[in-house]
Amino acid sequence: MGESPAVRPSESDKEREQAVGHSKAIQPSFLFPEAARFPSTRYQGSKAKLIEWIWGQIADLDFETCLDAFGGTGSVAYRLKQAGKSVTYNDILKFNYHIGEALIANSTVRLSLQDAQTLLHPHSHTQYSTFIQDNFHDIYFTDTENAWLDQTIANIGQLDAPYRFGLAFFALCQACIVKRPYNLFHRKNLYVRFADVERSFGNKASWDRPFEEWFPIFVEEANQAVFDNGQVNRALNLDALDVPGDYDLVYVDTPYIPKSGVGVDYLDFYHFLEGLATYNEWERHIDRKSKHLRIIPRPNEWTDKNQICAAFNRLFDRYQNSILVVSYRSDGIPSVEELIGIFRRHKSRIRIEHYGQYKYALSTNGNSEEVLLIGQ
């Protein structure tokens, strides 16, 4: 198989040494793969709890270079990195890409506690925008929290090195998610945090804990995930079909379309984080007709039941020279049988593994099985 292009965002040797040196108070200067820890995750559809099962099904396959084409949380790409593979992480959402840079492409750079604290305070030389304050009043966070977000994303934006930016941005995203009911941004529901009612979900203590306390906690988690596996790893922000290079193995975990036909739209669920990632352009992408000020929806064949089969066919054709590993749900559209039919156009040997019943957070379907399709 061909090798993936060796591309890594640049940072100077001096900066790398300084970043590692600054972190010694909270981190060893080097973490071996077995000592590194993938951060806690709150994302819808994360494979973090299934990752050892997934790895167990593919560990004996012969591959060195690999692509996680729909990277999401990065849990699969991270496990492949731990296994010593040369990993390319890709996701079409910008906020995920920055997290991929921090956790997958990054091998040495960390943020010190001092660095993190500096990001939490106003800088006299910085003129801060009030964009979040002006637009998101009473939607997701309080006025005070919105002001803090405007300030902090501006401070993070002044980090000119991609890995340092990625680490800080990861911490900011996680702090936003943990303070949200359902960990999502799919509706205007700040009132849920303050309603005096009995709750069967969520953690009010987490919602009310200040951003200033959450942020350093998640910086620490990101730092603990950094390690060098001796390979060149990278992160990309492309459509899965446009990723350059050839790979020994391609892992595929597309958005899920249940039998209802309404696909999981991650841009809608996490549009606020995507806005933070594109802060200076955010205003012109807002859907003013929506109560929760989502980003204007983008055409997405992976969430369209009428286009999904053709999309799978194109994807399998694009990577037909690679080992293909597809995570899927037994009750999805297309059906597993239909997906296998598409698979057979491109692969002569197909293995199907069943994890059994698995229920994702917030899912109401407890009867669906997790399935892994492996084509060679």
Side-chain angles (χ1 to χ4, degrees), residues 10-124:
S10 61
E11 74 270 349
S12 68
D13 290 340
K14 181 179 180 181
E15 181 196 35
R16 187 182 297 114
E17 292 170 0
Q18 288 176 341
V20 175
H22 285 170
S23 66
K24 288 181 179 178
I26 57 174
Q27 280 291 105
S29 61
F30 182 84
L31 277 174
F32 292 98
E34 58 268 24
R37 296 197 298 274
F38 186 72
S40 58
T41 180
R42 295 156 190 84
Y43 290 114
Q44 176 92 331
S46 172
K47 290 295 187 291
K49 293 181 179 180
L50 293 168
I51 188 58
E52 290 306 322
W53 174 74
I54 293 172
W55 172 247
Q57 310 311 310
I58 66 175
D60 292 337
L61 298 175
D62 183 16
F63 70 102
E64 294 300 326
T65 62
C66 51
L67 166 67
D68 187 351
F70 299 80
T73 65
S75 60
V76 173
Y78 191 84
R79 184 64 182 86
L80 293 168
K81 182 179 178 181
Q82 285 181 311
K85 309 300 182 181
S86 178
V87 181
T88 295
Y89 166 101
N90 178 69
D91 199 280
I92 200 167
L93 295 178
K94 195 77 171 183
F95 82 90
N96 276 336
Y97 158 73
H98 287 310
I99 293 170
E101 282 209 317
L103 304 183
I104 308 302
N106 176 22
S107 296
T108 58
V109 177
R110 299 182 180 89
L111 282 176
S112 71
L113 189 59
Q114 180 181 355
D115 292 334
Q117 290 296 333
T118 299
L119 296 172
L120 301 181
H121 303 290
H123 302 160
S124 59

Side-chain angles (χ1 to χ4, degrees), residues 155-257:
N155 289 345
I156 292 173
Q158 294 178 32
L159 297 171
D160 56 0
Y163 298 155
R164 288 161 61 82
F165 177 94
L167 291 164
F169 189 76
F170 166 86
L172 183 65
C173 287
Q174 292 301 311
C176 287
I177 291 173
V178 78
K179 287 173 64 63
R180 287 289 304 139
Y182 306 105
N183 301 134
L184 298 173
F185 299 87
H186 61 315
R187 61 175 64 115
K188 177 181 178 179
N189 60 358
L190 176 62
Y191 68 89
V192 173
R193 281 177 49 183
F194 303 105
D196 186 15
V197 296
E198 189 172 337
R199 295 179 177 84
S200 60
F201 68 93
N203 185 332
K204 184 168 172 53
S206 295
W207 298 341
D208 293 342
R209 190 171 187 175
F211 273 116
E212 293 89 340
E213 293 183 15
W214 277 122
F215 185 80
I217 291 172
F218 293 124
V219 167
E220 174 86 2
E221 285 196 12
N223 280 335
Q224 290 176 344
V226 176
F227 73 94
D228 187 350
N229 73 342
Q231 301 285 350
V232 173
N233 306 292
R234 60 179 183 157
L236 301 176
N237 178 216
L238 298 169
D239 184 285
L241 287 164
D242 295 331
V243 174
D246 298 315
Y247 306 88
D248 298 337
L249 181 144
V250 175
Y251 174 76
V252 175
D253 183 19
T254 66
Y256 169 60
I257 304 181

Side-chain angles (χ1 to χ4, degrees), residues 248-293:
D248 298 337
L249 181 144
V250 175
Y251 174 76
V252 175
D253 183 19
T254 66
Y256 169 60
I257 304 181
K259 291 299 183 184
S260 67
V262 180
V264 176
D265 187 342
Y266 290 101
L267 177 60
D268 186 48
F269 281 177
Y270 301 109
H271 66 91
F272 191 84
L273 306 183
E274 189 72 355
L276 288 172
T278 55
Y279 186 79
N280 293 330
E281 305 169 10
W282 196 349
E283 183 169 16
R284 58 192 178 93
H285 295 296
I286 287 182
D287 179 3
R288 296 287 176 183
K289 296 178 181 178
S290 64
K291 292 181 179 180
H292 61 302
L293 295 186

